[in-house]
Amino acid sequence: MASVSKQPNGGRVVQFVGSDRKRRSVRLGRVSSKMADSIRTRIELLDACNRTGQVPAPELLEWLAKLDDRFHGRLAAVGLVAHRAKKIKQAIGPFLDGYLKSRIDVGHATMTVWGQVVRNLKQHFGTDRDLATINAGEADAFRLFLVGQNLSSTTVARRLQFARQFFTAAQRAELCRINPFTDVRAKAISDPSRQVFVERETIARVLDCCDPTWRLLVTLSRYAGLRSPSETCSLRWADINWQANMMIVQSPKTAHHEGRGSRAVPIFSAIREELQAAFHRAPEGSVYVLESLRSRAMARGEWVNANLRTQFERIIRRAGVQVWPRLFHQLRSSCETELVRQFPVHIVAAWMGHTPRIAISHYLQITGADFAAAAAGRSAVDSTSGAGSDAEIVQSAVRPAAATLGQQPPRARFALENSEDWPPLASAGRYCTGVPVDRAGIEPATPGFSVLGYA
């Protein structure tokens, strides 16, 4: 049994008899009686584990891991624990550079974003700062440093998330005892001023100022919700099924997630004419729908170098339209906002290539047409131009596509095989046979039972 004694200078000491029957002492310094008793209990447990050869409980191991080197050394000096290995100082700069090089499982775009966070960390802490010496207070100061860079709240939250990820990797490599960013977070607040619904009339004016290639690019972004440039420039003629009114969209952004490399998307009425025109213009042997844009983008190495925004801004200004923020994101957002007026959100989100939660948080908008429809007592579907034709496009894709299911990728087959269960198709009544149903109902009659008033 261990005991606690108080020294003349006010410090406390825990004394116990070790397995060699020698009395050992562990100086605690000036601590409260309650804390001294807590440490005494843990010392007794460590001594018991040493005597019996048992492994300390997880709670005890966690307590040991959080001890500073000085007090841990006192426990090691009396034989309660093994001495810690001498720490090798790891500068933050070389560690972060090495971490980025080791992550061969992420795409170029992700690596670019991570590089921005690495640059911020080096600016704030310096490249030679020892990882193990950064504490939670300094992590808080880094958050304020990001705020001072006039970044949006969402960007600050994301960069803190990545900083937390980097230090978690350092902690797992035993380069630091704790992750100073564990509790350092920022709330991402959506900025309504950066949410713009691009009306069909507005995009029509823009399309009038586009050449054929750009006209197709903008149409696919606004009326099919494809990501630009990665998905629009990855669309192949072989992925388009004209008979089934459906196309398979390759998604480089989500390709590293299992089963999310591609998705089936209807060929909506607003894009069919442009696709057909592009098909007739395409040279013999063309593979990609936007061959010229893809060639220029990939010649520079990655989609981020496509530089579509500058040219798109010129086209928008030429049309006499004010340039809106997040050019291609708003086209995709506007497309999804219109589609959810016609189809359930889980279906539309699948067409867009994300989850309903992401759709609600980052894409769906409230428009003036919604207020006007509510004030007039109409459904929001009635306020969407072309709603009926898009619903028919989706319905017409069901039966013809069934004949070619074996030729489609797995994700396309899954979407088509389940399409007859979609609520929009059921509500439209397209598959009613027209045969009158008896008032007794359509279920087989139970012997000996009759409906009220009918045998």
Side-chain angles (χ1 to χ4, degrees):
M1 295 293 291
S3 62
V4 178
S5 61
K6 191 173 182 179
Q7 296 180 316
N9 63 357
R12 298 182 189 274
V13 178
V14 175
Q15 294 183 327
F16 68 99
V17 177
S19 56
D20 58 356
R21 298 185 177 276
K22 293 183 178 180
R23 184 173 294 278
R24 308 288 185 181
S25 299
V26 179
R27 290 179 291 112
L28 307 182
R30 295 185 179 183
V31 298
S32 66
S33 176
K34 183 176 180 180
M35 180 176 290
D37 286 337
S38 175
I39 296 174
R40 176 187 58 79
T41 301
R42 290 183 170 91
I43 287 177
E44 288 178 346
L45 292 174
L46 288 172
D47 183 49
C49 290
N50 287 338
R51 291 173 181 272
T52 60
Q54 295 182 352
V55 178
E59 296 80 3
L60 188 55
L61 292 175
E62 184 179 358
W63 175 75
L64 287 173
K66 292 181 179 179
L67 293 177
D68 61 28
D69 291 338
R70 186 177 180 183
F71 190 75
H72 190 276
R74 293 178 183 176
L75 297 180
V78 296
L80 289 173
V81 295
H83 286 277
R84 282 176 175 169
K86 188 176 181 180
K87 288 185 177 179
I88 301 176
K89 291 186 177 181
Q90 175 64 67
I92 188 172
F95 167 76
L96 293 174
D97 293 338
Y99 178 78
L100 295 188
K101 290 180 181 179
S102 69
R103 292 301 303 269
I104 60 175
D105 57 325
V106 300
H108 180 82
T110 300
M111 195 63 67
T112 300
V113 175
W114 285 0
Q116 296 169 349
V117 186
V118 168
R119 185 180 67 249
N120 292 148
L121 288 167
K122 289 180 179 179
Q123 287 174 345
H124 183 71
F125 293 110
T127 58
D128 298 328
R129 178 69 182 273
D130 184 5
L131 278 170
T133 65
I134 298 175
N135 56 43
E138 290 176 302
D140 282 325
F142 178 73
R143 179 182 66 82
L144 296 177
F145 167 77
L146 293 178
V147 173
Q149 301 296 308
N150 294 323
L151 302 173
S152 69
S153 60
T154 301
T155 302
V156 171
R158 291 286 288 173
R159 294 194 181 184
L160 287 175
Q161 176 186 341
F162 293 137
R164 190 159 50 249
Q165 174 183 326
F166 299 157
F167 274 82
T168 296
Q171 188 179 22
R172 291 175 65 86
E174 298 184 356
L175 298 176
C176 57
R177 289 190 299 108
I178 63 171
N179 185 340
F181 287 91
T182 298
D183 299 320
V184 181
R185 302 173 188 274
K187 187 175 182 180
I189 303 175
S190 177
D191 184 1
S193 66
R194 293 179 60 81
Q195 291 183 331
V196 178
F197 182 82
V198 185
E199 300 284 354
R200 289 178 173 238
E201 295 77 9
T202 300
I203 211 65
R205 293 171 57 186
V206 173
L207 290 174
D208 288 341
C209 296
C210 293
D211 62 28
T213 299
W214 268 91
R215 186 177 178 89
L216 179 58
L217 172 69
V218 176
T219 299
L220 289 172
S221 301
R222 174 59 178 83
Y223 294 115
L226 270 61
R227 298 180 177 96
S228 290
S230 63
E231 291 180 353
T232 51
C233 291
S234 297
L235 185 63
R236 302 172 299 190
W237 292 117
D239 295 329
I240 298 176
N241 189 327
W242 301 103
Q243 181 183 6
N245 277 318
M246 183 198 72
M247 55 187 178
I248 303 301
V249 175
Q250 308 297 326
S251 181
K253 179 178 180 179
T254 58
H256 61 285
H257 296 292
E258 185 176 358
R260 294 180 59 189
S262 64
R263 64 183 187 276
V265 177
I267 300 178
F268 299 104
S269 57
I271 68 172
R272 187 177 181 86
E273 183 178 347
E274 290 297 332
L275 273 176
Q276 289 176 331
F279 179 76
H280 293 303
R281 291 194 307 268
E284 188 70 25
S286 295
V287 176
Y288 293 95
V289 175
L290 292 170
E291 191 82 54
S292 59
L293 285 180
R294 178 184 174 86
S295 299
R296 289 200 298 270
M298 297 308 291
R300 301 176 183 177
E302 262 296 344
W303 302 117
V304 71
N305 296 318
N307 195 25
L308 297 180
R309 184 178 63 182
T310 302
Q311 178 62 16
F312 195 21
E313 288 179 348
R314 294 194 190 103
I315 296 172
I316 293 173
R317 292 191 183 97
R318 193 184 309 146
V321 175
Q322 183 178 358
V323 176
W324 57 83
R326 307 180 70 188
L327 293 176
F328 289 101
H329 175 87
Q330 302 300 356
L331 296 183
R332 186 168 150 84
S333 171
S334 301
C335 173
E336 187 162 12
T337 299
E338 284 187 346
L339 288 175
V340 294
R341 297 171 180 166
Q342 307 171 55
F343 308 101
V345 66
H346 70 284
I347 294 176
V348 177
W351 291 341
M352 295 295 110
H354 50 225
T355 63
R357 182 180 65 84
I358 293 297
I360 294 172
S361 300
H362 301 285
Y363 286 89
L364 300 184
Q365 303 183 43
I366 301 174
T367 69
D370 298 320
F371 287 97
R378 294 183 285 107
S379 168
V381 176
D382 300 333
S383 64
T384 303
S385 174
S389 58
D390 280 344
E392 292 172 3
I393 288 290
V394 174
Q395 294 168 25
S396 66
V398 177
R399 292 189 182 277
T404 59
L405 281 177
Q407 306 171 13
Q408 303 298 337
R411 287 182 61 81
R413 291 205 301 272
F414 176 81
L416 293 172
E417 288 166 353
N418 290 274
S419 58
E420 291 191 359
D421 294 330
W422 289 352
L425 304 183
S427 62
R430 286 280 170 178
Y431 299 103
C432 294
T433 61
V435 178
V437 179
D438 187 86
R439 289 185 64 184
I442 61 174
E443 294 291 335
T446 303
F449 179 79
S450 62
V451 180
L452 183 61
Y454 295 89

